[in-house]
Structure formats: C-alpha cells, structure tokens
Amino acid sequence: MNKFIHSVQLDESACIGCINCIKYCPTQAIRVHNGKAKITPQFCIDCGRCLRYCPHHAKTAVYDSVDEIQEFTYTVALPAPSLYTQFNNLNNIDIVLNALLLMGFDDVFEVSAAAELVSEASRTYIQEHEADAPFISTACPTIVRLIRVKFPTLIPRLLPLKPPVEVAAEIARKRAIEKTGLKSEDIGIFFISPCPSKVTYVKSPLGIEKSEIDKVLAIKEVYPILLKHMTHDESKLKPLSMSGRIGIGWSNAGGESAGLITDNYLACDGIMSALRVLSDLEDEKFHGLKFVELNACNGGCVGGPLTVENPYVATAKSKQLHRDLPVARTHSDDSDDYKDLDYQWSSYVEYEPVFRLGKSFRESFEMMGLIEELTEQLPGLDCGSCGAPTCRALAEDIIRGDATKNDCIYAFHEYINTLSKDIFFLTQSLQLSGNHSSESMDLLEDYIYKLTTELDKKER
Ligand code: SF4
Ligand code: SF4
C-alpha cells in the first residue's frame, strides 16, 4: 500500500512558478524547478497551508463529488461540527440536519455526537494510563502524520483512540444495516469535511486498517446546497440532533480538551505553533500535563481549508450555538449501538524516517557536516530563487543529489563571472603568444562549452 497518499495536489497548468508556496510549507515539501512547483509526497502532511498561500490556485484539494450520493442505495451524512459554524444566525442544529436529508441523504449521524463518546473514552483511557501521560490528541490527521515523520520519540504519546468521525461512521453503518437490511456495500457513509487531511485519512488511515467512511465531501461544496434547503420553520423540522456543548466544542481549538474535564492540558492551534510545541515536548519542557491537543489549522477545525467562514467568526458562532445546550447529550450507556464500540486503535503508527539523510547514523552525520559547510558557502539570503525555501534547504538538496550549487542565482553569477574571465584571459594570451595548438584550442572550446551549457540550463 502507498503510505504517502495525498489529497493536496498541484495543478501544473495553473502553476506559474512564483515560489510563494515554498516559504509556507511547514515540512519544506515543495520545490520549484523549471518554473513549476513540485510536492515531495513523503514530506507532505496534507496541512493545506499551500492551498491558502498560492495566489494562482494551483494547489488543489481532491475530494469526492456530491453526485456520488447516487452510487449507493442508502446514504448517511456525517456532518463535522464545524459545518454548523458556517451559517449566520443558526440557533438550531436540526435546521442543518434536516437540510442534509432534503439534499438527498437518507439519514444523518452527527460527528459531534460521536465526539461526546470519544471524550468519555478518552477520560477513561487517560485515567487508566496516567503514568504514560501526557497523551497527544490523534483527532487531527495532519498532526499524526507530522509526528510519524518528524517526532519518532513522541509516537508512544499518541492517544491510541479512533477519531470521532470514525466512531460516527461505525455507528452509522451498523444502524443503516439494521434499519434497511441492505448489504454493507450498498450503504454509502459520507463525511462532510472541513479539511483535506481527513480525505487523506479515509484513503490511508493511521491507527486502523480501513476506514468505515466511503466518501468525503468538502464543506464548501455542500454549504451552498444546504442554504437552498434550510428552513427556519421549526414545525417542519424532525428532531435529529444529539449533541451537547462538548460535541459541538470539538470544532474549536481547545474543545477536545474541554471534554476531558481537567485543567492539566495544553491546547494549541496552527501548524507552526504545533511544530514548536512538539519540539518542546520532545525536549521534555512540560511537566504535569495530562493531555496535549494540537490542531493544524488556526482556530481548530473551523479553520480548515475546505470551510467558507473566517475561523474567528466561526468560533464565535460555535460558542453562540452551544451556549444553551446541555454539557453532553450522547453517552455510552444511551443505546445498545454504543455498548460494543471498540474505541482503541487496531494498529500502531510506525516512524517513517523520510527526513533521514543517509542509510546509517554515521552516513547521516557525515552528510549533516557537508550540509553545514555548504550552507556557509551560500549567501544566506533565503531568497527562494533557487526553488528551495532556504539556503540550508538548497544545501540539503545538493547533498542529497537533487540540486546543484549553480541553482543558487548568486553562486551561478559568480561561476559565470569566473568562467567569462578565464575565457577572456585565455583568448588574450593565445592572441599575444600566437599559440594556436590543438590543446589550447580544446581548452578554450571546453570553457565556452561550459559557459553556454550553464546559460542554456538557466534559461530553461
Ligand atoms: S504559489 Fe507555488 S503552486 Fe502557486 S503558482 Fe506559485 S509556485 Fe506555483
Ligand atoms: S499540504 Fe502542507 S505539507 Fe503538503 S505541500 Fe502543502 S504546505 Fe506542504
């Protein structure tokens, strides 16, 4: 199985090689060569940051189409709680859930309801394994992917529980089979997602072998369709919502931690801040924490790249929406459907050493020394003209054999200058001495060949 499947991709025809994106990738996965960006799949964690920063919309997120509802006999929508925060003046979640039925789904199951079950399971797990704390949340697939490639020592700290969306899918499928008597393959479980990393999770999950979710739709695609079907006439609404403050709160940074009912937690949002927290965790800078919640997007899932609302406005709307709700409305002893649920991961996340330089520690150490040396020789401007985000990244590419020193525009100018001077002095000395031997002419020809080849390469 390909371990590095991605939902963030490049539309090469739209890319003009402007290098805006290379500076924003938290794992330095993007290079621009020959006027086009290229994502290194092993380094990409599907954070979606490049989607936001490409002014030419050349980075795209791949997700499923609403029309795919027709491919199944029976469909269930799993709305992420961040979906509710996209609408103005929404005071009743049932308005959104009923609109999902009117747009074509046969049933709905809220991810926020499953989140309340996962909060309960997390409280129990952390209590039973207190000696191994702090645990790191595994709800954001980008964070799990980041730890998998960059923070191997933190892998044992990952909370080994399924994310709410997976638990919601399991319950929804079981209920649909019981209700309709259909075969599992005739039932379509559709997650309505705020971010591309959850699309990647479904195609290539970590912690479990296979996801129960069949299709992932983007909130931004479903949003305008729902607007057409929403009614504020409460007499026409079926009572469907089963979420309280804890479940809806999972859409915001700090919401998952709030569901643990403890003060010993750290909640952080934004991928660059998450990187810093993970480094500090690795250095054991925090003491006494039970839980670390990291969200790749600013504001949490409300800030996902597939949403339509500003994350800060969405956060305010979320707080307004759940203010008058009970703390939780879904509990593990509410229904037989929840009793047999297995929340724990069935497989463990393995370290992927994609950033390791050499085949052995010794080789990596030697390569590191060469990179440091080479970085010193580069101008240190981090201008990006070479297509790498920093001079150090170019040095690393050179040592890995993926670039040459002449990719640096300054090193290139210096090289061309030296070569031009050599040609000039050689021509002059040949003229003065009258030496037209074949060796001298070969040397001159060699210099001219080098000069034209390098200039040709740059032009391309
Ligand atoms: S930001 Fe990156 S992907 Fe977008 S056009 Fe510029 S180089 Fe291409
Ligand atoms: S999705 Fe994130 S990690 Fe992947 S290339 Fe874009 S910015 Fe880099």
Side-chain angles (χ1 to χ4, degrees), residues 432-456:
L432 288 174
S433 66
N435 174 1
H436 294 120
S437 68
S438 62
E439 287 86 6
S440 317
M441 296 316 286
D442 282 353
L443 187 61
L444 184 61
E445 217 169 83
D446 189 40
Y447 278 152
I448 293 172
Y449 176 76
K450 274 188 191 158
L451 183 72
T452 49
T453 317
E454 286 303 322
L455 287 170
D456 265 4

PDB file of all heavy atoms in Angstrom, residues 432-456:
ATOM      1  N   LEU A 432      48.303  36.922 -27.947  1.00  0.00           N
ATOM      2  CA  LEU A 432      49.636  37.504 -27.755  1.00  0.00           C
ATOM      3  C   LEU A 432      50.744  36.516 -28.100  1.00  0.00           C
ATOM      4  O   LEU A 432      51.736  36.856 -28.722  1.00  0.00           O
ATOM      5  CB  LEU A 432      49.808  37.980 -26.302  1.00  0.00           C
ATOM      6  CG  LEU A 432      49.006  39.238 -25.942  1.00  0.00           C
ATOM      7  CD1 LEU A 432      49.128  39.558 -24.458  1.00  0.00           C
ATOM      8  CD2 LEU A 432      49.502  40.434 -26.766  1.00  0.00           C
ATOM      9  N   SER A 433      50.554  35.248 -27.698  1.00  0.00           N
ATOM     10  CA  SER A 433      51.612  34.255 -27.908  1.00  0.00           C
ATOM     11  C   SER A 433      51.562  33.656 -29.311  1.00  0.00           C
ATOM     12  O   SER A 433      52.513  33.045 -29.763  1.00  0.00           O
ATOM     13  CB  SER A 433      51.496  33.138 -26.885  1.00  0.00           C
ATOM     14  OG  SER A 433      50.289  32.435 -27.131  1.00  0.00           O
ATOM     15  N   GLY A 434      50.430  33.833 -29.978  1.00  0.00           N
ATOM     16  CA  GLY A 434      50.270  33.238 -31.298  1.00  0.00           C
ATOM     17  C   GLY A 434      50.193  31.725 -31.239  1.00  0.00           C
ATOM     18  O   GLY A 434      50.339  31.031 -32.237  1.00  0.00           O
ATOM     19  N   ASN A 435      49.908  31.196 -30.046  1.00  0.00           N
ATOM     20  CA  ASN A 435      49.833  29.738 -29.869  1.00  0.00           C
ATOM     21  C   ASN A 435      48.457  29.236 -30.277  1.00  0.00           C
ATOM     22  O   ASN A 435      47.457  29.506 -29.607  1.00  0.00           O
ATOM     23  CB  ASN A 435      50.125  29.421 -28.378  1.00  0.00           C
ATOM     24  CG  ASN A 435      49.927  27.936 -28.068  1.00  0.00           C
ATOM     25  OD1 ASN A 435      49.604  27.143 -28.946  1.00  0.00           O
ATOM     26  ND2 ASN A 435      50.141  27.590 -26.813  1.00  0.00           N
ATOM     27  N   HIS A 436      48.355  28.530 -31.382  1.00  0.00           N
ATOM     28  CA  HIS A 436      47.065  28.001 -31.837  1.00  0.00           C
ATOM     29  C   HIS A 436      47.090  26.478 -31.846  1.00  0.00           C
ATOM     30  O   HIS A 436      46.482  25.841 -32.688  1.00  0.00           O
ATOM     31  CB  HIS A 436      46.700  28.569 -33.222  1.00  0.00           C
ATOM     32  CG  HIS A 436      46.442  30.046 -33.173  1.00  0.00           C
ATOM     33  ND1 HIS A 436      47.174  30.959 -33.903  1.00  0.00           N
ATOM     34  CD2 HIS A 436      45.584  30.776 -32.435  1.00  0.00           C
ATOM     35  CE1 HIS A 436      46.744  32.180 -33.623  1.00  0.00           C
ATOM     36  NE2 HIS A 436      45.772  32.084 -32.730  1.00  0.00           N
ATOM     37  N   SER A 437      47.853  25.930 -30.890  1.00  0.00           N
ATOM     38  CA  SER A 437      47.953  24.462 -30.827  1.00  0.00           C
ATOM     39  C   SER A 437      46.588  23.854 -30.532  1.00  0.00           C
ATOM     40  O   SER A 437      45.706  24.524 -29.959  1.00  0.00           O
ATOM     41  CB  SER A 437      48.944  24.054 -29.735  1.00  0.00           C
ATOM     42  OG  SER A 437      48.393  24.398 -28.489  1.00  0.00           O
ATOM     43  N   SER A 438      46.390  22.583 -30.892  1.00  0.00           N
ATOM     44  CA  SER A 438      45.084  21.939 -30.683  1.00  0.00           C
ATOM     45  C   SER A 438      44.737  21.857 -29.201  1.00  0.00           C
ATOM     46  O   SER A 438      43.573  21.985 -28.810  1.00  0.00           O
ATOM     47  CB  SER A 438      45.049  20.558 -31.329  1.00  0.00           C
ATOM     48  OG  SER A 438      46.012  19.753 -30.738  1.00  0.00           O
ATOM     49  N   GLU A 439      45.755  21.693 -28.291  1.00  0.00           N
ATOM     50  CA  GLU A 439      45.485  21.637 -26.838  1.00  0.00           C
ATOM     51  C   GLU A 439      44.870  22.954 -26.367  1.00  0.00           C
ATOM     52  O   GLU A 439      43.897  22.975 -25.622  1.00  0.00           O
ATOM     53  CB  GLU A 439      46.777  21.379 -26.032  1.00  0.00           C
ATOM     54  CG  GLU A 439      47.331  19.982 -26.126  1.00  0.00           C
ATOM     55  CD  GLU A 439      48.240  19.819 -27.344  1.00  0.00           C
ATOM     56  OE1 GLU A 439      48.510  20.826 -28.039  1.00  0.00           O
ATOM     57  OE2 GLU A 439      48.671  18.683 -27.603  1.00  0.00           O
ATOM     58  N   SER A 440      45.491  24.104 -26.833  1.00  0.00           N
ATOM     59  CA  SER A 440      44.991  25.410 -26.388  1.00  0.00           C
ATOM     60  C   SER A 440      43.578  25.634 -26.902  1.00  0.00           C
ATOM     61  O   SER A 440      42.700  26.132 -26.187  1.00  0.00           O
ATOM     62  CB  SER A 440      45.869  26.543 -26.909  1.00  0.00           C
ATOM     63  OG  SER A 440      47.201  26.210 -26.777  1.00  0.00           O
ATOM     64  N   MET A 441      43.348  25.252 -28.174  1.00  0.00           N
ATOM     65  CA  MET A 441      42.018  25.470 -28.756  1.00  0.00           C
ATOM     66  C   MET A 441      40.979  24.589 -28.058  1.00  0.00           C
ATOM     67  O   MET A 441      39.847  25.015 -27.820  1.00  0.00           O
ATOM     68  CB  MET A 441      42.027  25.186 -30.269  1.00  0.00           C
ATOM     69  CG  MET A 441      42.915  26.113 -31.052  1.00  0.00           C
ATOM     70  SD  MET A 441      42.787  27.854 -30.575  1.00  0.00           S
ATOM     71  CE  MET A 441      41.246  28.314 -31.256  1.00  0.00           C
ATOM     72  N   ASP A 442      41.391  23.353 -27.673  1.00  0.00           N
ATOM     73  CA  ASP A 442      40.471  22.445 -26.959  1.00  0.00           C
ATOM     74  C   ASP A 442      40.073  23.046 -25.612  1.00  0.00           C
ATOM     75  O   ASP A 442      38.913  22.978 -25.195  1.00  0.00           O
ATOM     76  CB  ASP A 442      41.134  21.077 -26.709  1.00  0.00           C
ATOM     77  CG  ASP A 442      41.113  20.230 -27.974  1.00  0.00           C
ATOM     78  OD1 ASP A 442      40.464  20.685 -28.948  1.00  0.00           O
ATOM     79  OD2 ASP A 442      41.749  19.150 -27.970  1.00  0.00           O
ATOM     80  N   LEU A 443      41.089  23.629 -24.935  1.00  0.00           N
ATOM     81  CA  LEU A 443      40.825  24.226 -23.620  1.00  0.00           C
ATOM     82  C   LEU A 443      39.828  25.380 -23.752  1.00  0.00           C
ATOM     83  O   LEU A 443      38.859  25.497 -22.993  1.00  0.00           O
ATOM     84  CB  LEU A 443      42.147  24.716 -23.020  1.00  0.00           C
ATOM     85  CG  LEU A 443      42.107  25.210 -21.585  1.00  0.00           C
ATOM     86  CD1 LEU A 443      41.659  24.089 -20.640  1.00  0.00           C
ATOM     87  CD2 LEU A 443      43.491  25.725 -21.162  1.00  0.00           C
ATOM     88  N   LEU A 444      40.052  26.204 -24.757  1.00  0.00           N
ATOM     89  CA  LEU A 444      39.159  27.344 -24.987  1.00  0.00           C
ATOM     90  C   LEU A 444      37.747  26.848 -25.306  1.00  0.00           C
ATOM     91  O   LEU A 444      36.742  27.334 -24.776  1.00  0.00           O
ATOM     92  CB  LEU A 444      39.711  28.193 -26.149  1.00  0.00           C
ATOM     93  CG  LEU A 444      38.939  29.485 -26.448  1.00  0.00           C
ATOM     94  CD1 LEU A 444      38.951  30.425 -25.241  1.00  0.00           C
ATOM     95  CD2 LEU A 444      39.555  30.209 -27.650  1.00  0.00           C
ATOM     96  N   GLU A 445      37.696  25.844 -26.161  1.00  0.00           N
ATOM     97  CA  GLU A 445      36.403  25.273 -26.555  1.00  0.00           C
ATOM     98  C   GLU A 445      35.662  24.712 -25.324  1.00  0.00           C
ATOM     99  O   GLU A 445      34.456  24.886 -25.177  1.00  0.00           O
ATOM    100  CB  GLU A 445      36.642  24.138 -27.546  1.00  0.00           C
ATOM    101  CG  GLU A 445      35.582  24.085 -28.636  1.00  0.00           C
ATOM    102  CD  GLU A 445      36.018  23.146 -29.720  1.00  0.00           C
ATOM    103  OE1 GLU A 445      35.798  21.955 -29.540  1.00  0.00           O
ATOM    104  OE2 GLU A 445      36.617  23.607 -30.715  1.00  0.00           O
ATOM    105  N   ASP A 446      36.440  24.068 -24.448  1.00  0.00           N
ATOM    106  CA  ASP A 446      35.873  23.484 -23.234  1.00  0.00           C
ATOM    107  C   ASP A 446      35.245  24.561 -22.345  1.00  0.00           C
ATOM    108  O   ASP A 446      34.124  24.409 -21.847  1.00  0.00           O
ATOM    109  CB  ASP A 446      37.002  22.746 -22.485  1.00  0.00           C
ATOM    110  CG  ASP A 446      36.476  21.938 -21.330  1.00  0.00           C
ATOM    111  OD1 ASP A 446      35.406  21.332 -21.501  1.00  0.00           O
ATOM    112  OD2 ASP A 446      37.120  21.932 -20.259  1.00  0.00           O
ATOM    113  N   TYR A 447      35.958  25.678 -22.176  1.00  0.00           N
ATOM    114  CA  TYR A 447      35.432  26.798 -21.368  1.00  0.00           C
ATOM    115  C   TYR A 447      34.141  27.340 -21.991  1.00  0.00           C
ATOM    116  O   TYR A 447      33.153  27.585 -21.302  1.00  0.00           O
ATOM    117  CB  TYR A 447      36.469  27.932 -21.293  1.00  0.00           C
ATOM    118  CG  TYR A 447      37.542  27.735 -20.233  1.00  0.00           C
ATOM    119  CD1 TYR A 447      38.810  28.297 -20.387  1.00  0.00           C
ATOM    120  CD2 TYR A 447      37.277  27.024 -19.066  1.00  0.00           C
ATOM    121  CE1 TYR A 447      39.796  28.144 -19.415  1.00  0.00           C
ATOM    122  CE2 TYR A 447      38.247  26.851 -18.096  1.00  0.00           C
ATOM    123  CZ  TYR A 447      39.504  27.415 -18.276  1.00  0.00           C
ATOM    124  OH  TYR A 447      40.457  27.259 -17.311  1.00  0.00           O
ATOM    125  N   ILE A 448      34.170  27.525 -23.291  1.00  0.00           N
ATOM    126  CA  ILE A 448      32.993  28.107 -23.970  1.00  0.00           C
ATOM    127  C   ILE A 448      31.794  27.147 -23.870  1.00  0.00           C
ATOM    128  O   ILE A 448      30.663  27.561 -23.619  1.00  0.00           O
ATOM    129  CB  ILE A 448      33.322  28.448 -25.450  1.00  0.00           C
ATOM    130  CG1 ILE A 448      34.353  29.589 -25.472  1.00  0.00           C
ATOM    131  CG2 ILE A 448      32.062  28.866 -26.219  1.00  0.00           C
ATOM    132  CD1 ILE A 448      34.928  29.911 -26.823  1.00  0.00           C
ATOM    133  N   TYR A 449      32.092  25.856 -23.975  1.00  0.00           N
ATOM    134  CA  TYR A 449      31.017  24.847 -23.872  1.00  0.00           C
ATOM    135  C   TYR A 449      30.361  24.912 -22.480  1.00  0.00           C
ATOM    136  O   TYR A 449      29.135  24.941 -22.351  1.00  0.00           O
ATOM    137  CB  TYR A 449      31.594  23.449 -24.125  1.00  0.00           C
ATOM    138  CG  TYR A 449      30.568  22.355 -23.937  1.00  0.00           C
ATOM    139  CD1 TYR A 449      29.580  22.112 -24.907  1.00  0.00           C
ATOM    140  CD2 TYR A 449      30.570  21.590 -22.770  1.00  0.00           C
ATOM    141  CE1 TYR A 449      28.631  21.124 -24.699  1.00  0.00           C
ATOM    142  CE2 TYR A 449      29.618  20.606 -22.564  1.00  0.00           C
ATOM    143  CZ  TYR A 449      28.656  20.375 -23.532  1.00  0.00           C
ATOM    144  OH  TYR A 449      27.711  19.422 -23.333  1.00  0.00           O
ATOM    145  N   LYS A 450      31.216  24.987 -21.453  1.00  0.00           N
ATOM    146  CA  LYS A 450      30.699  25.054 -20.072  1.00  0.00           C
ATOM    147  C   LYS A 450      29.819  26.291 -19.900  1.00  0.00           C
ATOM    148  O   LYS A 450      28.727  26.224 -19.331  1.00  0.00           O
ATOM    149  CB  LYS A 450      31.864  25.146 -19.077  1.00  0.00           C
ATOM    150  CG  LYS A 450      32.429  23.810 -18.682  1.00  0.00           C
ATOM    151  CD  LYS A 450      33.430  24.036 -17.569  1.00  0.00           C
ATOM    152  CE  LYS A 450      34.237  22.784 -17.303  1.00  0.00           C
ATOM    153  NZ  LYS A 450      35.498  23.046 -16.653  1.00  0.00           N
ATOM    154  N   LEU A 451      30.303  27.416 -20.417  1.00  0.00           N
ATOM    155  CA  LEU A 451      29.573  28.675 -20.277  1.00  0.00           C
ATOM    156  C   LEU A 451      28.207  28.593 -20.954  1.00  0.00           C
ATOM    157  O   LEU A 451      27.171  28.909 -20.353  1.00  0.00           O
ATOM    158  CB  LEU A 451      30.409  29.813 -20.878  1.00  0.00           C
ATOM    159  CG  LEU A 451      29.815  31.211 -20.756  1.00  0.00           C
ATOM    160  CD1 LEU A 451      29.874  31.710 -19.322  1.00  0.00           C
ATOM    161  CD2 LEU A 451      30.547  32.202 -21.658  1.00  0.00           C
ATOM    162  N   THR A 452      28.193  28.132 -22.210  1.00  0.00           N
ATOM    163  CA  THR A 452      26.909  28.105 -22.942  1.00  0.00           C
ATOM    164  C   THR A 452      25.960  27.070 -22.326  1.00  0.00           C
ATOM    165  O   THR A 452      24.764  27.318 -22.233  1.00  0.00           O
ATOM    166  CB  THR A 452      27.119  27.816 -24.449  1.00  0.00           C
ATOM    167  OG1 THR A 452      27.965  26.682 -24.542  1.00  0.00           O
ATOM    168  CG2 THR A 452      27.716  28.985 -25.180  1.00  0.00           C
ATOM    169  N   THR A 453      26.498  25.941 -21.877  1.00  0.00           N
ATOM    170  CA  THR A 453      25.621  24.915 -21.278  1.00  0.00           C
ATOM    171  C   THR A 453      24.952  25.461 -20.021  1.00  0.00           C
ATOM    172  O   THR A 453      23.747  25.306 -19.822  1.00  0.00           O
ATOM    173  CB  THR A 453      26.429  23.652 -20.901  1.00  0.00           C
ATOM    174  OG1 THR A 453      27.316  23.349 -21.940  1.00  0.00           O
ATOM    175  CG2 THR A 453      25.538  22.473 -20.623  1.00  0.00           C
ATOM    176  N   GLU A 454      25.735  26.100 -19.152  1.00  0.00           N
ATOM    177  CA  GLU A 454      25.164  26.635 -17.908  1.00  0.00           C
ATOM    178  C   GLU A 454      24.131  27.712 -18.209  1.00  0.00           C
ATOM    179  O   GLU A 454      23.065  27.756 -17.589  1.00  0.00           O
ATOM    180  CB  GLU A 454      26.273  27.206 -17.000  1.00  0.00           C
ATOM    181  CG  GLU A 454      27.115  26.157 -16.314  1.00  0.00           C
ATOM    182  CD  GLU A 454      26.312  25.187 -15.455  1.00  0.00           C
ATOM    183  OE1 GLU A 454      25.350  25.613 -14.810  1.00  0.00           O
ATOM    184  OE2 GLU A 454      26.653  23.983 -15.453  1.00  0.00           O
ATOM    185  N   LEU A 455      24.434  28.583 -19.187  1.00  0.00           N
ATOM    186  CA  LEU A 455      23.482  29.649 -19.531  1.00  0.00           C
ATOM    187  C   LEU A 455      22.200  29.053 -20.112  1.00  0.00           C
ATOM    188  O   LEU A 455      21.094  29.480 -19.783  1.00  0.00           O
ATOM    189  CB  LEU A 455      24.115  30.640 -20.513  1.00  0.00           C
ATOM    190  CG  LEU A 455      25.171  31.564 -19.906  1.00  0.00           C
ATOM    191  CD1 LEU A 455      25.916  32.337 -20.992  1.00  0.00           C
ATOM    192  CD2 LEU A 455      24.557  32.549 -18.902  1.00  0.00           C
ATOM    193  N   ASP A 456      22.363  28.026 -20.932  1.00  0.00           N
ATOM    194  CA  ASP A 456      21.203  27.338 -21.537  1.00  0.00           C
ATOM    195  C   ASP A 456      20.310  26.744 -20.455  1.00  0.00           C
ATOM    196  O   ASP A 456      19.090  26.865 -20.479  1.00  0.00           O
ATOM    197  CB  ASP A 456      21.683  26.171 -22.414  1.00  0.00           C
ATOM    198  CG  ASP A 456      21.811  26.606 -23.852  1.00  0.00           C
ATOM    199  OD1 ASP A 456      21.606  27.796 -24.095  1.00  0.00           O
ATOM    200  OD2 ASP A 456      22.121  25.724 -24.694  1.00  0.00           O
TER     201      ASP A 456
END
